[in-house]
């Protein structure tokens, strides 16, 4: 019987991982299935562009995995049973179960409401294609002078506010930041960021937390906190993972992310690996990896390398998990690339302007090409499985 590998989620981490596994493992021994709720690959890093009305290339997952040997199952994951090694699914063909021998959990994250009243009812987000399209429809209906408030000063918030302001100069765009705008950037990069906000006409409300969202405004924290006009509120104040992993009995952190060892293997269930936003992994600086595209790259490469090595009887390699910098788009014609040190603190050096824009565009294009050709360079001879794949405890030495 073939070894059944199931990958949950076909975002950046899951799609790359499935292609890597298919590229390096022999189909005579393995059966790889990807489960995803929607039929298209979603370029999450560009959903703010989709929301403001730009057209993105759509890639059908069926086309992505055609000819690779990877099976695609369009269904939503409703539960996992790691004791019996099954996944509960629901889809157009009803409810069902999918058995696995090795599971790679890469279901990603969604917007975190943080319990703020009105966010679920009235705010929009750009964490999924459906939510971005819902926001796109709402923005298209705004007339000149309409007000848009982006809540959150992280990368997503900055990119969203600047993209909206550049694409729709007829709108009044503002951003609410709990602290100083770009406080984590180097002084020169922070100055570049503020100049971009001024050039694009984005109003910044610094040291402003939001304690409630209403249909036409947001209420700032504090006694009798001021209200900020907002025909549309876009919530970018953090991400949260689905509670499926915790409900299934996997050991998780307070964030709900799956706790893993250095090889991305669950510390409680050795047949389960995790990658992307779903994983609680410690980087080379001793800190948990942030939810980001870069983390998806590190963790999916480490997880697939470990799976392949253990199934084929090889030595598990260690993939580097060190950040080198943050790429921030400021519309289509400006950007910042901020270098960081080993503690993820900004270095004095940064790259800005058109050069940084081209650099960021190259990263996005490279990611898209990697997804479109998941088994590019597939070897003629792929690895066969060992007679008895390693299923020892997760804490065993690699």
């Amino acid at each position: 019987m073939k070894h059944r590998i199931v990958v949950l989620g076909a975002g950046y981490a899951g799609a790359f991982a499935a292609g890597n596994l298919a590229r390096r493992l022999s189909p005579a021994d393995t059966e790889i299935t990807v489960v995803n709720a929607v039929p298209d690959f979603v370029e999450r890093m560009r959903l703010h562009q989709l929301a403001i009305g730009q057209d993105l290339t759509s890639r059908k997952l069926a086309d992505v995995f055609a000819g690779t040997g990877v099976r695609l199952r369009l269904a939503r994951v409703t539960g996992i049973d790691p004791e019996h090694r099954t996944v509960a699914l629901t889809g157009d063909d009803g409810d069902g179960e999918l058995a696995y021998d090795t599971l790679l959990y890469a279901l990603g994250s969604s917007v975190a409401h943080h319990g703020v009243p009105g966010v679920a009812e009235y705010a929009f987000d750009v964490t999924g294609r459906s939510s971005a399209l819902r926001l796109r429809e709402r923005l298209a209906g705004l007339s000149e002078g309409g007000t848009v408030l982006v809540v959150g000063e992280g990368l997503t918030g900055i990119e969203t506010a600047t993209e909206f302001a550049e694409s729709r100069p007829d709108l009044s765009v503002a951003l609410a930041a709990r602290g100083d705008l770009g406080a984590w950037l180097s002084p020169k990069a922070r100055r570049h960021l503020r100049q971009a906000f001024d050039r694009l006409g984005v109003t910044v409300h610094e040291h402003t937390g939001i304690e409630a969202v209403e249909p036409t405004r947001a209420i700032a924290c504090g006694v009798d906190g001021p209200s900020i006009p907002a025909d549309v509120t876009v919530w970018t104040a953090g991400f949260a993972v689905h509670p499926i992993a915790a409900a299934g009995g996997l050991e998780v952190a307070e964030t709900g992310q799956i706790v893993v060892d250095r090889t991305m293997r669950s510390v409680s269930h050795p047949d389960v690996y995790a990658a992307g936003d779903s994983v609680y992994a410690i980087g080379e600086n001793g800190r948990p990896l942030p939810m980001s595209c870069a983390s998806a790259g590190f963790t999916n490469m480490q997880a697939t390398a470990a799976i392949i090595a253990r199934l084929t009887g090889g030595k598990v390699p260690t993939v580097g998990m060190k950040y080198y910098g943050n790429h921030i788009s400021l519309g289509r014609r400006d950007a910042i690339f901020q270098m960081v040190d080993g503690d993820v603190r900004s270095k004095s050096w940064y790259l800005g302007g058109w050069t940084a824009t081209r650099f960021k565009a190259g990263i996005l294009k490279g990611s898209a090409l990697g997804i479109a050709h998941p088994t590019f360079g597939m070897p003629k001879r792929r690895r066969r499985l060992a007679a008895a794949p390693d299923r020892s405890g997760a804490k065993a030495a690699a």
Side-chain angles (χ1 to χ4, degrees):
M1 182 178 178
K2 292 184 179 182
H3 188 92
R4 299 163 298 183
I5 301 175
V6 173
V7 180
L8 302 183
Y12 290 106
F16 276 122
N20 197 19
L21 291 167
R23 183 168 62 245
R24 298 171 62 190
L25 291 173
S26 172
D29 299 325
T30 55
E31 178 182 287
I32 303 169
T33 302
V34 174
V35 179
N36 203 60
V38 297
D40 299 322
F41 172 74
V42 177
E43 285 191 86
R44 185 163 174 174
M45 290 190 292
R46 300 182 65 191
L47 286 178
H48 56 292
Q49 294 176 241
L50 179 67
I52 199 59
Q54 298 173 28
D55 293 326
L56 306 182
T57 300
S58 178
R59 289 182 174 82
K60 295 291 183 183
L61 290 172
D63 296 333
V64 167
F65 293 120
T68 66
V70 175
R71 301 183 179 187
L72 175 63
R73 179 80 175 268
L74 293 178
R76 187 172 300 278
V77 178
T78 57
I80 59 173
D81 184 350
E83 302 302 328
H84 295 91
R85 298 206 296 270
T86 58
V87 180
L89 308 173
T90 183
D92 292 340
D93 54 353
D95 298 339
E97 282 189 346
L98 183 63
Y100 66 84
D101 297 302
T102 296
L103 180 72
L104 178 54
Y105 189 107
L107 288 179
S109 63
S110 58
V111 64
H113 295 163
H114 300 301
V116 176
V119 173
E121 295 84 359
Y122 305 118
F124 296 79
D125 66 83
V126 289
T127 59
R129 180 177 173 83
S130 60
S131 58
L133 288 174
R134 175 173 164 263
L135 174 55
R136 178 182 177 125
E137 182 179 3
R138 179 70 181 95
L139 291 172
L142 285 185
S143 57
E144 183 176 354
T147 54
V148 178
L149 174 67
V150 178
V151 180
E153 69 274 27
L155 301 182
T156 303
I158 291 172
E159 292 196 336
T160 299
T162 52
E163 192 78 47
F164 285 12
E166 180 181 86
S167 297
R168 290 287 305 273
D170 60 310
L171 300 179
S172 176
V173 180
L175 181 140
R178 295 189 66 89
D180 293 325
L181 178 67
W184 41 276
L185 293 170
S186 65
K188 290 183 179 179
R190 193 181 314 144
R191 185 160 54 249
H192 185 118
L193 176 65
R194 288 185 176 277
Q195 289 172 349
F197 269 63
D198 291 342
R199 171 172 52 81
L200 294 170
V202 179
T203 301
V204 182
H205 301 278
E206 295 182 300
H207 305 283
T208 303
I210 300 299
E211 66 177 14
V213 175
E214 297 179 357
T216 59
R217 65 176 184 169
I219 309 300
C221 296
V223 179
D224 298 324
S227 65
I228 302 174
D231 296 316
V232 174
T233 297
V234 185
W235 195 261
T236 68
F239 306 105
V241 299
H242 199 284
I244 286 176
L250 292 168
E251 183 172 334
V252 299
E254 291 183 1
T255 58
Q257 295 167 293
I258 298 172
V259 179
V260 296
D261 63 14
R262 182 57 177 80
T263 70
M264 302 302 117
R265 195 182 204 181
S266 165
V267 299
S268 61
H269 294 81
D271 294 315
V272 178
Y273 294 76
D277 288 354
S278 304
V279 65
Y280 185 84
I282 305 300
E284 293 181 8
N285 59 3
R287 301 175 183 176
L289 293 176
M291 295 183 184
S292 69
C293 184
S295 294
F298 301 151
T299 55
N300 99 72
M301 287 189 291
Q302 180 61 78
T304 54
I307 291 171
I308 292 164
R310 290 188 172 116
L311 291 182
T312 59
K315 182 180 179 181
V316 178
T318 298
V319 175
M321 292 190 289
K322 180 180 179 180
Y323 275 80
Y324 292 95
N326 292 312
H327 310 83
I328 314 167
S329 295
L330 304 174
R332 295 297 88 207
R333 294 182 291 275
D334 195 5
I336 290 172
F337 173 55
Q338 174 67 70
M339 292 289 291
V340 300
D341 61 20
D343 292 322
V344 200
R345 292 177 300 193
S346 295
K347 295 183 178 181
S348 60
W349 184 87
Y350 90 102
L351 188 67
W354 182 244
T355 303
T357 301
R358 299 298 298 169
F359 190 21
K360 178 65 179 285
I363 291 173
L364 293 172
K365 184 177 180 179
S367 297
L369 287 174
I371 293 296
H373 306 283
T375 55
F376 178 76
M378 182 181 285
K380 294 181 179 179
R381 295 184 62 185
R382 284 171 278 172
R383 301 185 192 182
R384 299 297 300 269
L385 267 58
D390 175 16
R391 290 182 181 168
S392 57
K395 295 181 181 180

